[in-house]
Amino acid sequence: MLKLSRLAALLVAGAIVSAPVLAAEKGKPVATVNGVAVTQAVFDAFLAEQKAQGAPDSPDLKNAVKEELVRREVIAQEAKKKGLDKKSEVQGQIDLARQAVLIRAFLSDYSRAHPVTDAQLKAEYDGIKATLGNTEYKPRHILVDKEDDAKAIIAKLDKGEKFSELAKQSKDPGSKDKGGELDWSTPSSYVKPFAEAMAKLKKGEYTKAPVKSDFGYHVIQLDDSRSLTPPPFEQVKPQLQQRVTNRQIEQLVKDLREKAKVD
């Protein structure tokens, strides 16, 4: 599965949430606090945030938003009186907040101009299905550093010793105390040598030769396998939408970074 950067995920989330803010107009002030206007644009932006978080639109919500903005302005004015807005660390935070708003606005605009099509989503769905395959497996394994150690384990299995007991010497901390047991997974979840060896086994069989990977040498036993039925396209469509959108944003950020002149 595609691994997204934290940046891309955060930017996309921000772009979606902030979309209503872009339509806000300045308008007349909703309140004036000690001569300073609380603008309609600020009110609309804050109201949109509350609705995006699940608050139902109502007169009570609008009154609460207005009161909160008045309180914020009062506190902000007091902060300015003390000269806190002149401190470098505060100015840095203000600059970061302003930058975040601009980023969300830009990405929201980009997402609207480059909507994800059903054809893209269907291609993504088909690609994931092809990668996963039609079968998932329930294996066990014992991981050791040396090939000779793996061969010795196989020899003991041939003599009838239990896999679960031999697994106690595995260097895989996540499975050694569970008899080497791993979760149900598709071959794509494992490194290629492991996946290929596992897929050749029948239920109850173990590998007759050590399987080498970047982690060491594996002895693998297949406990069971079953047919894999992926969820229907419509059921996972929202997740696919987010996945493809994230990838578009990731590529956009990468392209812009490559074009940027950084001294």
Side-chain angles (χ1 to χ4, degrees), residues 186-237:
T186 61
S188 61
S189 301
Y190 301 104
V191 293
K192 188 175 180 179
F194 188 107
E196 290 179 345
M198 176 185 68
K200 292 176 182 177
L201 295 173
K202 294 179 181 178
K203 183 177 178 179
E205 290 184 342
Y206 55 86
T207 51
K208 296 298 185 177
V211 178
K212 187 178 185 304
S213 77
D214 291 340
F215 300 101
Y217 291 87
H218 306 262
V219 179
I220 306 167
Q221 176 178 292
L222 181 62
D223 283 356
D224 205 354
S225 63
R226 64 189 181 190
S227 296
L228 175 64
T229 303
F233 172 71
E234 290 298 330
Q235 181 178 329
V236 295
K237 189 174 179 180

Side-chain angles (χ1 to χ4, degrees), residues 41 44 46 63 71-72 119 125 153 160 168 182 187 193 200 210 225 239 245:
D44 289 344
F46 194 71
N63 288 335
R71 289 169 181 260
R72 291 187 177 204
Y125 178 75
I153 291 169
K168 292 178 181 178
L182 300 171
K200 292 176 182 177
S225 63
Q239 291 92 330
T245 299

Side-chain angles (χ1 to χ4, degrees), residues 2 4-16 103-116 120 241-257:
L2 178 67
L4 301 170
S5 74
R6 178 171 172 77
L7 174 64
L10 290 174
L11 294 183
V12 171
I16 293 172
I103 290 171
R104 290 196 296 267
F106 171 74
L107 294 179
S108 180
D109 180 73
Y110 178 86
S111 296
R112 283 198 303 273
H114 301 82
V116 177
Q120 286 176 283
Q241 173 87 32
Q242 187 67 45
R243 177 185 171 99
V244 176
T245 299
N246 283 348
R247 190 162 62 239
Q248 286 184 342
I249 295 298
E250 180 90 351
Q251 188 60 50
L252 171 65
V253 174
K254 181 180 178 182
D255 291 345
L256 291 173
R257 177 64 181 87

Side-chain angles (χ1 to χ4, degrees), residues 90-154:
V90 175
Q91 290 178 344
Q93 292 175 34
I94 292 172
D95 288 342
L96 284 174
R98 179 178 179 276
Q99 186 183 65
V101 171
L102 288 173
I103 290 171
R104 290 196 296 267
F106 171 74
L107 294 179
S108 180
D109 180 73
Y110 178 86
S111 296
R112 283 198 303 273
H114 301 82
V116 177
T117 66
D118 278 353
Q120 286 176 283
L121 296 180
K122 190 63 168 63
E124 187 77 9
Y125 178 75
D126 292 340
I128 293 173
K129 281 206 306 180
T131 300
L132 293 177
N134 300 316
T135 307
E136 59 180 349
Y137 299 84
K138 188 75 168 62
R140 295 174 185 266
H141 84 136
I142 301 170
L143 177 63
V144 292
D145 287 321
K146 299 178 180 179
E147 184 177 13
D148 287 344
D149 291 340
K151 287 180 178 179
I153 291 169
I154 293 171

Side-chain angles (χ1 to χ4, degrees), residues 43-87:
F43 176 87
D44 289 344
F46 194 71
L47 180 64
E49 285 184 10
Q50 303 311 303
K51 290 193 290 186
Q53 293 173 17
D57 193 6
S58 67
D60 285 344
L61 175 63
K62 292 176 180 177
N63 288 335
V65 165
K66 179 179 178 179
E67 177 58 25
E68 176 62 19
L69 290 175
V70 168
R71 289 169 181 260
R72 291 187 177 204
E73 181 57 37
V74 168
I75 296 172
Q77 289 180 19
E78 290 302 309
K80 289 179 180 179
K81 287 179 183 178
K82 290 182 173 293
L84 298 179
D85 57 323
K86 300 297 191 296
K87 289 193 171 186

